[in-house]
Amino acid sequence: MYDVVLLTLRSERDAPGGCGSGGACCGGATGADTAPTSQTDTGQADTDQASSGQTDTEQCATERPRVPVLACADALNARGARVETVTARSDAEIDAVLARLDGPARPDGLTWPDPDSKTRLVVATASDGQLRAVLRRLVKRYAPAPSKRPADLAGNRTLPDLPPVAVLPLDPARGGTHRDLAAQLGLPRDPAAVAAAVLDGTPRRLDLLRNDGGSVTLDGALLGAADDAGRPLHWRARVEVDDTILTDGAEPLLACAVGNAGGYATLNDVTLLTAPDPADGQVEVAVAVPVVVRSAWGRKRVRLEVRRARGRAVSVLPREGKVPYLDDGVEGELTRKRSWWVEPGAWAVWSI
């Protein structure tokens, strides 16, 4: 029977100001000062800090398990699984849990996941940002430095297959009008059903977006902002998808969506992304550009032009100032070029 670790981070509603609002608590780095994630040439993981100087999960722990966690543990125990609940208070404590997924020592000295591990991980999440925080630590643990790239690593990837995780949503309401990633993927929300997926399910492999800011994206990112009255603000940036230039930075933008899944497919009544698929090996990108046109009577009006492209990589280069964004629900500001690229099938969820 399996050993199951139920890992909990602090709920955003338990944290003053909301987890991920100010210091990116549990959600990942918000600034451009983070280093790329990889195993360094010395074999040690780089220090990965948020722009506030704190790590992802400082102050991000509950003192006692939430009711869904206890219910899931009971369901697992009833099936004979050995269950441990862990509340992570730091990156180091997350890493200690992830170390249980390591495989045997390799001749090249790389830390590698064990494909035959008898330990299974359940991540109890109050937000997609919390799930992302755990995936960022998995990437940091197992991604080799470019100078240590092994021969058995797939040519279209920079990291091995990450160990599957089960997702236990802590807020059922997020499956309704606010469709979190678990809802988009059709994953179970009931604790007993999550337990069944852990013990009886199969890994469903999904694409992962890595970026040169040292973080990862599971669902997507939305760049842009609105004023206090809700009116979108104009900004400029050069946006490229592979060899396609969606905008060169000379014209104003209202929004840019970078989609792995469909969380940012629409903005108000505007469709930005048409068919985001988290398992097709591509990222879908859209920019919304206000265009002035003249009617047959010579009157000017503004229409919104949406330009889209799909590919393996996207870059956004702000032309002026700071560009606010949401990445897996976590707020940040883009001040310099940011590139995302697809790692096809790099992570997985337990599903039935």
Side-chain angles (χ1 to χ4, degrees):
M1 183 48 68
Y2 296 105
D3 293 319
V4 181
V5 181
L6 274 162
L7 176 63
T8 305
L9 307 183
R10 186 172 187 171
S11 169
E12 54 190 306
R13 63 189 176 194
D14 295 334
C19 194
S21 60
C25 181
C26 293
T30 60
D33 298 326
T34 51
T37 57
S38 67
Q39 297 178 26
T40 65
D41 291 342
T42 60
Q44 300 294 322
D46 297 333
T47 301
D48 192 5
Q49 295 183 329
S51 57
S52 63
Q54 294 179 317
T55 54
D56 291 350
T57 50
E58 285 178 358
Q59 304 176 351
C60 291
T62 52
E63 293 302 322
R64 64 184 64 183
R66 297 266 292 273
V67 171
V69 176
L70 297 175
C72 187
D74 289 343
L76 290 165
N77 280 320
R79 293 282 305 276
R82 295 178 292 268
V83 181
E84 180 182 357
T85 59
V86 176
T87 298
R89 295 172 175 81
S90 67
D91 285 344
E93 292 184 354
I94 294 179
D95 293 345
V97 170
L98 303 184
R100 307 182 196 190
L101 307 175
D102 290 355
R106 291 170 52 105
D108 55 17
L110 293 175
T111 302
W112 220 245
D114 184 356
D116 300 316
S117 176
K118 295 301 181 182
T119 299
R120 296 193 169 177
L121 176 64
V122 180
V123 181
T125 62
S127 68
D128 289 342
Q130 291 188 340
L131 179 61
R132 183 181 77 162
V134 176
L135 264 296
R136 288 177 69 236
R137 301 309 301 177
L138 278 171
V139 169
K140 182 171 289 295
R141 185 167 193 86
Y142 295 123
S147 62
K148 290 194 171 184
R149 182 184 177 89
D152 57 343
L153 187 60
N156 62 347
R157 293 262 292 275
T158 65
L159 68 164
D161 285 353
L162 298 177
V165 300
V167 181
L168 175 61
L170 295 177
D171 187 352
R174 292 185 182 273
T177 56
H178 179 88
R179 288 177 57 79
D180 59 12
L181 189 59
Q184 294 180 56
L185 297 175
L187 299 179
R189 307 188 78 85
D190 177 74
V194 173
V198 172
L199 299 179
D200 303 325
T202 55
R204 177 182 172 186
R205 300 223 67 89
L206 302 166
D207 301 335
L208 180 72
L209 295 183
R210 294 188 67 185
N211 69 55
D212 57 1
S215 190
V216 300
T217 300
L218 309 180
D219 185 353
L222 179 65
L223 294 88
D227 61 19
D228 293 339
R231 295 182 295 264
L233 301 174
H234 291 183
W235 52 283
R236 287 175 169 81
R238 181 183 177 91
V239 180
E240 298 181 65
V241 182
D242 292 349
D243 296 326
T244 300
I245 300 175
L246 291 179
T247 175
D248 62 5
E251 57 196 340
L253 299 178
L254 294 185
C256 174
V258 177
N260 187 38
Y264 300 110
T266 61
L267 179 62
N268 297 328
D269 296 327
V270 178
T271 298
L272 297 177
L273 308 175
T274 57
D277 183 346
D280 66 353
Q282 290 191 314
V283 57
E284 184 176 359
V285 183
V287 295
V289 184
V291 178
V292 177
V293 296
R294 287 183 179 273
S295 69
W297 303 102
R299 294 178 179 176
K300 293 182 180 179
R301 64 183 180 88
V302 177
R303 66 177 177 86
L304 196 61
E305 178 181 296
V306 179
R307 304 170 190 165
R308 304 179 182 92
R310 302 174 64 84
R312 287 292 312 277
V314 55
S315 66
V316 179
L317 174 62
R319 290 302 192 191
E320 52 191 19
K322 300 177 180 178
V323 180
Y325 67 84
L326 288 174
D327 192 326
D328 284 344
V330 179
E331 298 176 4
E333 289 183 330
L334 199 62
T335 59
R336 59 186 182 186
K337 184 177 181 180
R338 173 63 46 84
S339 298
W340 290 262
W341 66 91
V342 179
E343 300 280 347
W347 75 293
V349 292
W350 288 108
S351 63
I352 294 180

